Amino acid sequence: MNLTVVGTGYVGLVTGACFAEMGNKVTCIDIDIEKIENLKKGIIPIYEPGLERMVSKNIDRNTIKFSTELQDGLSSSQIVFIAVGTPMGEDGSADLQYVLSVAREIGQKMSRPMVVVDKSTVPVGTGDKVRDVIDEELKKRGLNLDFHVVSNPEFLKEGAAIDDFMKPDRIVVGADHKEAFQSMRDLYAPFTHNHDRMIEMDVRSAEMTKYVANAMLATKISFMNEVANICELVDADVNQVRIGIGSDTRIGYSFIYPGSGYGGSCFPKDVKALTHIAEENGYRAELISSVEAVNDRQKFVISNKVVDRFGENLHDKTFAVWGLAFKPGTDDMREAPSIYVIQELVKRGARIKAYDPKAMHEAQSFYLKDVENIHYFSSKYETLPDVDAMILLTEWKEFRSPDFEELKMKMKNPIIFDGRNQYSHLRLEQKGFEYYQIGKKSK
């Protein structure tokens, strides 16, 4: 098939590359000229394992191309994906200006029947708005072209997006016409030849499914963090509790690891948006609102532990911070716990020595660019000399089994604050470390 994907951010670029990988001819559109010129050279704007290699390969095969002009894709495409950003407004709502702007341009430039697919995460009812905008523009042109609007939300995990797209556990498609469903079945057939994973529903239900999926996962995280905080108060070990409840197949082990809270581009935004959708319709979503409140509080748990240990005045203290990204496998720092922890310590006078395998450029150029007293290092061990404690905030694999003897030798004090519960409390105490983690009282 010939496809157009509008938007070359995280979702759009992964979508375009994966469809091209299966032999489709894909045109990716973006208004950012510099980004498009870089993409033509195989230079991608994000870190995602395997993505740069896939894009470069399909450029060479001529199955993916990049342009700033929508018409370059529309003229030959049967399906066009809208994958632009839906930034969060001050009230928690999703801003649809970019989605509707693309829809309007589609209506102004389409010259053949096509399927228009909302790939962006959008509020319930957006499909109707996209349809109305396109129809309005076609009427202005005096054209009567058939088109169908489809909701096809993405369920990609940062750090594993290629595998998630190529081997999906489900493909949710919301449409109102059998022709649209058939077009999507044909498009996704190479991804589902072993097992039919396509779930068909109406457009509004598909739009809702994305929000509910992320809110459910966020709920599990916040629930377990709430439990962790209670465990500390009653001198229980949340890590043992997690194993005890996870063995119940109705609960399972996924998303019940205590930590410093969730971050990233999806969970915070989608939880707020779902709360806003409820409020717009006269309903107070108390549980979902609590999920957000617990998460906001959890991001300060580690910094509070540091202050409890060293006091409010940290002017003569230096801390090594291992991990800046909100999760391993990505350079994304949106709503990352590291931002909150570092800001809390620095405002009390602390000096920070930071390392992350992928996110340091993001920190330096944007998220922590105005933070003083922070220095960046090229390896984890370089951060350690003369620090008062090490703080682990992202569970990168290279942090899982460090040389603890080297830590003890280089650090001023053998103290670790573990915001992801990566280490064994007993093991570190036996090695002479003072160890603080989430959900277990320190002795």
Side-chain angles (χ1 to χ4, degrees), residues 227-280:
V227 169
N229 296 334
I230 298 171
C231 283
E232 285 196 36
L233 296 174
V234 301
D235 201 15
D237 185 344
V238 71
N239 299 298
Q240 296 181 31
V241 172
R242 175 184 60 80
I243 295 170
I245 66 170
S247 59
D248 187 328
T249 56
R250 296 170 300 175
I251 299 173
Y253 290 104
S254 297
F255 289 86
I256 62 168
Y257 287 82
S260 298
Y262 58 76
S265 62
C266 294
F267 287 8
K269 180 167 68 76
D270 292 354
V271 168
K272 286 179 182 290
L274 188 54
T275 302
H276 181 77
I277 290 169
E279 290 174 350
E280 276 191 324

Side-chain angles (χ1 to χ4, degrees), residues 236-367:
D237 185 344
V238 71
N239 299 298
Q240 296 181 31
V241 172
R242 175 184 60 80
I243 295 170
I245 66 170
S247 59
D248 187 328
T249 56
R250 296 170 300 175
I251 299 173
Y253 290 104
S254 297
F255 289 86
I256 62 168
Y257 287 82
S260 298
Y262 58 76
S265 62
C266 294
F267 287 8
K269 180 167 68 76
D270 292 354
V271 168
K272 286 179 182 290
L274 188 54
T275 302
H276 181 77
I277 290 169
E279 290 174 350
E280 276 191 324
N281 288 274
Y283 181 78
R284 174 167 170 73
E286 295 185 10
L287 177 58
I288 299 170
S289 298
S290 296
V291 168
E292 180 186 358
V294 169
N295 190 65
D296 289 344
R297 186 175 65 224
Q298 197 68 18
K299 291 178 180 178
F300 296 94
V301 168
I302 285 294
S303 58
N304 290 340
K305 287 178 180 290
V306 174
V307 171
D308 289 344
R309 171 60 177 80
F310 290 100
E312 283 285 342
N313 186 348
L314 300 176
H315 279 84
D316 62 343
K317 304 301 179 187
T318 301
F319 301 102
V321 172
W322 287 10
L324 299 170
F326 87 94
K327 62 177 282 188
T330 181
D331 60 355
D332 193 346
M333 282 187 63
R334 284 173 285 188
E335 295 294 322
S338 63
I339 298 171
Y340 299 86
V341 172
I342 288 171
Q343 288 176 341
E344 286 297 303
L345 300 183
V346 167
K347 79 179 184 182
R348 291 173 170 83
R351 180 171 175 262
I352 303 296
K353 301 169 74 176
Y355 168 71
D356 186 283
K358 295 296 179 183
M360 289 201 291
H361 176 72
E362 292 292 305
Q364 291 173 287
S365 62
F366 188 75
Y367 292 98

Side-chain angles (χ1 to χ4, degrees), residues 127-128 131 148-151 173-181 201-204:
D128 296 336
R131 183 183 300 107
H148 303 296
V149 175
V150 169
S151 175
V173 175
D176 296 327
H177 297 274
K178 62 181 182 180
E179 295 88 350
F181 281 123
M201 58 186 73
D202 63 87
V203 173
R204 285 178 172 247

Side-chain angles (χ1 to χ4, degrees), residues 315-419:
H315 279 84
D316 62 343
K317 304 301 179 187
T318 301
F319 301 102
V321 172
W322 287 10
L324 299 170
F326 87 94
K327 62 177 282 188
T330 181
D331 60 355
D332 193 346
M333 282 187 63
R334 284 173 285 188
E335 295 294 322
S338 63
I339 298 171
Y340 299 86
V341 172
I342 288 171
Q343 288 176 341
E344 286 297 303
L345 300 183
V346 167
K347 79 179 184 182
R348 291 173 170 83
R351 180 171 175 262
I352 303 296
K353 301 169 74 176
Y355 168 71
D356 186 283
K358 295 296 179 183
M360 289 201 291
H361 176 72
E362 292 292 305
Q364 291 173 287
S365 62
F366 188 75
Y367 292 98
L368 296 171
K369 68 176 182 178
D370 296 324
V371 176
E372 297 179 355
N373 288 339
I374 180 169
H375 303 274
Y376 300 91
F377 294 81
S378 58
S379 76
K380 59 183 182 289
Y381 293 119
E382 289 181 13
T383 66
L384 297 176
D386 300 320
V387 298
D388 293 279
M390 185 271 277
I391 304 169
L392 189 149
L393 295 173
T394 312
E395 61 274 35
W396 288 96
K397 288 182 180 178
E398 69 172 272
F399 299 156
R400 291 183 183 177
S401 297
D403 185 336
F404 288 110
E405 293 305 317
E406 186 168 355
L407 266 70
K408 282 185 68 175
M409 181 177 66
K410 290 187 173 183
M411 297 169 69
K412 183 188 299 183
N413 300 307
I415 303 173
I416 294 177
F417 292 89
D418 186 352

Side-chain angles (χ1 to χ4, degrees), residues 47-75:
Y47 173 73
E48 178 62 38
L51 182 58
E52 186 169 10
R53 179 167 47 84
M54 182 179 285
V55 169
S56 295
K57 180 173 66 173
N58 283 285
I59 290 174
D60 293 340
R61 295 194 321 188
N62 201 33
T63 49
I64 191 168
K65 62 181 181 178
F66 301 92
S67 175
T68 57
E69 297 297 326
L70 180 60
Q71 189 60 45
D72 290 345
L74 285 188
S75 59

